Amino acid sequence: MSDLLRRLRGRGWRMTSQRRVVAEVLDGDHVHLTADEVHQRAAARLPEISRATVYNTLGELVALGEVLEVSTVGRAKRYDPNARTLHQHLVCSGCGMVRDVHPVGDAIGDLPEEERFGFTVGSVEITYRGVCPGCA
Amino acid sequence: MSDLLRRLRGRGWRMTSQRRVVAEVLDGDHVHLTADEVHQRAAARLPEISRATVYNTLGELVALGEVLEVSTVGRAKRYDPNARTLHQHLVCSGCGMVRDVHPVGDAIGDLPEEERFGFTVGSVEITYRGVCPGCA
DNA sequence: TCCTACGATGGACTTCGTCCAAGTCAAGAA
DNA sequence: TTCTTGACTTGGACGAAGTCCATCGTAGGA
């Protein structure tokens, strides 16, 4: 994740201990934490960090395209640091676990012209739902 | 929508004016209202209807499989009465408009075995994002 | 080392949704 | 038709998730 920190610094981000901790919490594959979970983990390292700062920092990371918002599980938004690799999500209906997956095929191409209603289609989000081995 | 009312009656639903109004508000294609919008439109016909009743009724319709929850636009859940025909959604990034669409192809089949992590995959939700003619 | 604009803080506020106790009423029984 | 009863509705309290804002603090350039 020092990669991320380096990129952020290159974009003129003022580096604060709070932002560093949030960025470090959001590290790894198959990470899909809620804002509250990010706050809890960040607070474990930096007890004074406030909820507002976590929301601000997450919002900035999303705006910079470094982190994706995923709204497919439960009520709260989840934050996916794996924004640099195109991928989709596989969600367990039992425990809510989320895995990053890479389907083959061309989902956008599968939408016929007459089904586009004149829209310019730019992207597609796919959520597979199923039951994980642990819940089966 | 009297179709829906008939089916609900057949399932032993006690028919009340509140439930009838909610079911009538949820009529048509490309309808994706929030609970609050359903409440507003229902209240236009039945001013005393309470928010709790709208939430209860929507929850029952979802549980019966007559209505789908769509969580792809904005914060609030939206309710899609077109549950009897398999379809996906096309969302305008500008105004938030949602259209029902029918892609060709086999999205579930496009997920390779080694990308399933042992899950039993049961369904797939696809959200196309783009810009509608009005916003372009 | 000093300045200052950018960032952090926490508490109030909004939105969306759920829960509950009490009152109401749809629809079957008589 | 009237009675009865349990399912349904109501409104207000509550809770979770997220936003806003005035004020304070500090990163990093001069």
Side-chain angles (χ1 to χ4, degrees):
Chain A
M1 183 60 43
S2 54
D3 258 13
L4 171 55
L5 293 178
R6 208 171 303 127
R7 280 200 303 280
L8 294 174
R9 201 184 282 274
R11 298 212 207 194
W13 241 36
R14 180 181 288 189
M15 192 49 55
T16 67
S17 53
Q18 291 87 347
R19 286 175 165 185
R20 190 191 328 276
V21 165
V22 169
E24 283 169 2
V25 164
L26 285 172
D27 188 17
D29 283 345
H30 306 298
V31 169
H32 306 88
L33 300 172
T34 63
D36 199 60
E37 288 164 349
V38 172
H39 180 228
Q40 283 175 34
R41 298 191 187 196
R45 305 197 203 179
L46 193 67
E48 330 80 58
I49 192 171
S50 74
R51 277 183 351 112
T53 296
V54 170
Y55 276 105
N56 287 342
T57 306
L58 289 172
E60 287 155 9
L61 288 167
V62 170
L64 290 173
E66 295 288 349
V67 165
L68 293 177
E69 276 182 11
V70 181
S71 332
T72 45
V73 204
R75 250 176 294 176
K77 288 181 196 162
R78 291 177 176 271
Y79 293 89
D80 180 345
N82 189 10
R84 307 179 71 71
T85 314
L86 187 61
H87 67 278
Q88 306 298 343
H89 293 111
L90 170 58
V91 180
C92 176
S93 310
C95 60
M97 178 179 37
V98 182
R99 312 289 326 231
D100 293 350
V101 295
H102 304 84
V104 299
D106 172 18
I108 293 187
D110 283 348
L111 189 62
E113 192 55 39
E114 69 271 17
E115 287 280 309
R116 299 193 180 199
F117 300 100
F119 280 54
T120 305
V121 179
S123 66
V124 59
E125 292 160 24
I126 305 180
T127 303
Y128 294 94
R129 298 197 182 272
V131 180
C132 76
C135 290
Chain B
M1 181 61 44
S2 55
D3 259 14
L4 170 55
L5 293 178
R6 209 171 302 127
R7 283 200 302 279
L8 293 174
R9 200 184 285 274
R11 297 211 206 197
W13 244 35
R14 179 180 289 190
M15 193 48 56
T16 67
S17 53
Q18 291 85 349
R19 286 174 164 182
R20 189 189 330 274
V21 165
V22 169
E24 284 169 1
V25 164
L26 286 172
D27 188 16
D29 283 345
H30 307 297
V31 169
H32 306 88
L33 299 172
T34 63
D36 199 58
E37 288 165 349
V38 172
H39 180 228
Q40 283 176 32
R41 298 189 187 197
R45 305 197 204 180
L46 194 67
E48 333 76 59
I49 193 170
S50 73
R51 277 182 352 113
T53 296
V54 170
Y55 275 106
N56 288 341
T57 306
L58 289 172
E60 288 154 7
L61 288 168
V62 170
L64 290 173
E66 296 286 350
V67 165
L68 293 176
E69 275 181 12
V70 181
S71 332
T72 45
V73 204
R75 252 176 293 174
K77 287 182 200 163
R78 290 175 178 272
Y79 294 87
D80 181 346
N82 189 10
R84 307 178 72 73
T85 313
L86 187 62
H87 66 278
Q88 306 299 342
H89 292 112
L90 170 58
V91 179
C92 176
S93 311
C95 61
M97 179 179 37
V98 183
R99 312 290 324 229
D100 293 351
V101 296
H102 304 83
V104 300
D106 172 19
I108 292 186
D110 283 348
L111 189 63
E113 193 55 39
E114 69 272 18
E115 287 278 311
R116 299 193 181 201
F117 300 100
F119 280 54
T120 306
V121 179
S123 66
V124 60
E125 292 160 24
I126 304 180
T127 304
Y128 294 93
R129 297 196 183 274
V131 180
C132 76
C135 290

